[in-house]
């Protein structure tokens, strides 16, 4: 399965913001850390804010911070919330796509694979992703 850049950037934003322990993080800081355009990050942050993951503070001293504790942010749910389409093949989304869909074993196998992929992500939280805190902080926050 291949996730979109939007989801990749979503996870990176959550990791960096999660490392800041409630202190405000700026989009500029995240953009510099990961080499991502601020314009693209603004879309990601807006999406995360609308879905209740981030609190945004406007203004000169503004920034973003988590709205939930890292242990309450499930990575599988984040991926579901950020991906528009998770199906591995088109026939899982479109009912009229394939003439053999009623007897297609491939369709069921691909659905099972997608569910297994998400089940692995469901076993992890943001707290798990930021667990190597010291190493991550030295790589991301002290640049």
């Amino acid at each position: 399965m291949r996730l979109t850049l939007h989801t990749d950037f979503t996870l990176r934003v959550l990791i960096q913001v999660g490392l800041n322990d409630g202190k405000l993080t700026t989009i500029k800081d995240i953009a510099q850390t990961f080499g991502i355009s601020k314009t693209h990050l603004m879309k990601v942050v807006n999406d995360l804010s609308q879905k209740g993951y981030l609190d945004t503070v406007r203004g000169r001293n503004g920034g973003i911070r988590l709205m939930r504790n890292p242990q309450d942010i499930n990575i599988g749910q984040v991926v579901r919330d950020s991906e528009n389409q998770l199906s591995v093949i088109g026939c899982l989304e479109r009912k009229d796509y394939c003439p053999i869909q009623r007897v297609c074993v491939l369709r069921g196998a691909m659905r099972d694979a997608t569910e297994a992929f998400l089940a692995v992500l469901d076993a992890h939280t943001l707290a798990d992703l930021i667990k190597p805190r010291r190493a991550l902080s030295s790589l991301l926050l002290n640049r």
Side-chain angles (χ1 to χ4, degrees), residues 8-55:
D8 178 16
F9 297 164
T10 293
L11 294 170
R12 291 171 190 251
V13 165
L14 290 173
I15 288 168
Q16 186 158 348
V17 173
L19 287 171
N20 274 340
D21 293 322
K23 292 180 267 180
L24 291 174
T25 305
T26 67
I27 290 173
K28 179 182 175 186
D29 290 339
I30 298 169
Q32 288 175 339
T33 298
F34 292 110
I36 303 169
S37 82
K38 288 194 300 185
T39 304
H40 198 94
L41 282 175
M42 287 179 7
K43 293 175 187 173
V44 169
V45 166
N46 183 50
D47 188 42
L48 285 167
S49 174
Q50 288 181 352
K51 292 179 177 159
Y53 292 102
L54 293 179
D55 177 32

